[in-house]
Amino acid sequence: MSQAGKPRSSAYETFPAPILPSRNGFDFHVYFMPTNPVHVQHALQLHQRISSEFPELPIYRVWDRPIGPHPTAMFEVQTTTPHQTGALFGWLVVNRGPLDVFVHPNTDDAYRDHAELASWIGKPWPLNLEILKGHRTK
């Protein structure tokens, strides 16, 4: 029950369809410019802070170049529950510094995840969506 005695939304505990918790719920891609020393330093420090402050979350290597549909250097963090997603989202809003964060859910349609269901913390970057067309996962 909520503070007002009303029932809580099930969205606090489970992702709404078509988001698949078995596919990591949400991905957070932290973008930075690899030619900007301030960005590189902040990205490396942020990667370490997330690893320390959110040890339960999968965090992947720092890429120093574009990879997949991502147009610049980045690293990825995954969340598997609505609580993790909300906590990391709020934390990144406050701590991302000069970096931008691309956030997308994981469904069975990678193109839609990246093109239609995504959100940004900071400024949006153009993605290479062509490589995702027709890419569905089950």
Side-chain angles (χ1 to χ4, degrees), residues 29-64:
H29 298 273
V30 179
Y31 287 5
F32 64 96
M33 295 181 67
T35 57
N36 182 324
V38 172
H39 281 209
V40 172
Q41 180 180 10
H42 193 78
L44 295 174
Q45 291 172 343
L46 191 64
H47 187 274
Q48 180 57 46
R49 284 189 65 197
I50 293 169
S51 294
S52 297
E53 295 191 34
F54 296 91
E56 71 283 6
L57 299 182
I59 185 168
Y60 297 95
R61 67 172 278 189
V62 177
W63 291 94
D64 61 359

Side-chain angles (χ1 to χ4, degrees), residues 61-111:
R61 67 172 278 189
V62 177
W63 291 94
D64 61 359
R65 60 183 169 76
I67 184 161
H70 307 287
T72 191
M74 64 99 187
F75 66 89
E76 176 183 350
V77 184
Q78 296 176 335
T79 59
T80 58
T81 70
H83 285 290
Q84 290 174 344
T85 304
L88 184 61
F89 190 98
W91 191 90
L92 284 169
V93 165
V94 173
N95 292 291
R96 71 178 175 84
L99 311 182
D100 302 304
V101 184
F102 174 63
V103 183
H104 70 83
N106 289 300
T107 70
D108 66 353
D109 187 337
Y111 180 84

